[in-house]
Amino acid sequence: MEKYIDPVYLNANQGVLALFIFFFGLVVAFFRWIIKYLNNRPKLKIDMIEGPTFVCTFKTGRISHGHEAHITAIALYLNLKNVGNLPSSIEKIHIAYKWNIIPFSFNWVKYRLGWFWINNQTVALDDFQFKIGDRVKVYPFLTQLNNLAPNKVEKFIEVGKGINGIVYFEQAESWGAMSPVVKNHKTKIKICIVDSFGRKHRKVVVVPMLELDEALKYNPSFGMTYQTLSNEKIS
């Protein structure tokens, strides 16, 4: 036996049905806008390039708080690609490492389980370079000008494009456990790049630890920026 929908019933509920379709359309449009908003943003892919990427902690020969003082300096040769949907530029670059501190204390929780951040880049006094035979290869900086080779600092990254260069950080003279944890002559470094929209792009990398004499082969003034500036102020 065939069943028919009462036309009187349909007419009586047309308003409800229309209202339901209207709100359903609003919900679908809202979620489409959310998806478009989330996808319509820059996304920086952070990679390391073979070259002067290393960390070096060396003693200064001074005593601080009853301990031998030391300086930690970090060089990272980065390649940044914008794999998102909006062009953007680099505003800030921060890096962090884990303290070489034994448990258990507040600083162990904060800087060993967490990270110790170096928020400001340091101006390198010399270019990073490496001698190959009778020639010298000069590596470009990412955010500062080179001395030995002309380079243009370009922080703006178009969609699908990339930039590369060295970023350099020095930690002021420290003492005790305020140095990176070393395992198999390597340490972990966390990179945080802030773009012009305020978005943060992060990556943790494993970086070789070098002795000072090896680091100086890449840069003759490696780890000496703060010390040089301090000496100039004294004189």
Side-chain angles (χ1 to χ4, degrees):
M1 183 177 180
E2 296 182 359
K3 295 182 179 180
Y4 297 94
I5 299 176
D6 188 353
V8 177
Y9 174 83
L10 287 177
N11 290 333
N13 291 276
Q14 276 185 349
V16 176
L17 181 61
L19 189 63
F20 173 78
I21 294 174
F22 173 75
F23 280 110
F24 179 77
L26 283 180
V27 171
V28 171
F30 174 76
F31 278 103
R32 289 182 64 184
W33 180 83
I34 288 293
I35 293 173
K36 183 179 180 181
Y37 173 78
L38 292 176
N39 289 331
N40 195 29
R41 60 181 179 177
K43 182 179 179 181
L44 300 183
K45 184 174 181 289
I46 305 171
D47 289 314
M48 310 302 296
I49 304 176
E50 185 178 355
T53 290
F54 54 86
V55 179
C56 176
T57 297
F58 59 93
K59 297 175 182 178
T60 64
R62 291 181 286 272
I63 302 296
S64 179
H65 297 80
H67 298 269
E68 290 183 311
H70 52 73
I71 289 176
T72 295
I74 301 164
L76 302 173
Y77 195 12
L78 300 180
N79 174 258
L80 307 179
K81 293 179 181 177
N82 188 350
V83 296
N85 297 312
L86 275 181
S88 186
S89 60
I90 300 171
E91 291 297 315
K92 297 178 182 178
I93 302 178
H94 314 301
I95 59 102
Y97 67 81
K98 293 179 178 292
W99 271 14
N100 184 26
I101 187 172
I102 60 175
F104 296 93
S105 65
F106 174 78
N107 283 337
W108 176 79
V109 173
K110 187 175 182 180
Y111 298 125
R112 180 65 183 265
L113 298 184
W115 296 87
F116 174 74
W117 285 95
I118 302 177
N119 290 316
N120 298 311
Q121 291 186 71
T122 307
V123 175
L125 301 179
D126 290 294
D127 290 348
F128 282 83
Q129 53 197 276
F130 193 77
K131 189 172 183 180
I132 305 173
D134 58 349
R135 296 190 177 186
V136 176
K137 177 179 175 57
V138 178
Y139 296 91
F141 287 110
L142 189 66
T143 58
Q144 78 171 72
L145 293 173
N146 283 82
N147 295 319
L148 299 177
N151 74 310
K152 181 181 178 181
V153 175
E154 183 58 72
K155 298 182 181 181
F156 186 76
I157 312 177
E158 294 279 4
V159 174
K161 302 293 184 179
I163 58 175
N164 61 73
I166 294 174
V167 293
Y168 177 65
F169 295 82
E170 264 186 41
Q171 180 182 337
E173 188 176 72
S174 307
W175 55 277
M178 291 182 280
S179 62
V181 175
V182 181
K183 184 176 181 181
N184 297 325
H185 305 289
K186 296 181 179 180
T187 190
K188 289 183 179 179
I189 298 294
K190 188 171 187 178
I191 306 167
C192 177
I193 298 177
V194 183
D195 65 27
S196 55
F197 295 94
R199 297 182 184 276
K200 296 180 179 179
H201 310 263
R202 301 180 179 91
K203 185 172 184 178
V204 176
V205 296
V206 178
V207 178
M209 294 288 301
L210 296 188
E211 297 295 333
L212 181 59
D213 57 344
E214 290 295 321
L216 292 174
K217 292 179 181 179
Y218 284 100
N219 191 314
S221 60
F222 186 86
M224 299 180 185
T225 297
Y226 283 137
Q227 185 174 347
T228 300
L229 294 176
S230 178
N231 290 339
E232 287 182 355
K233 289 180 180 179
I234 294 174
S235 61

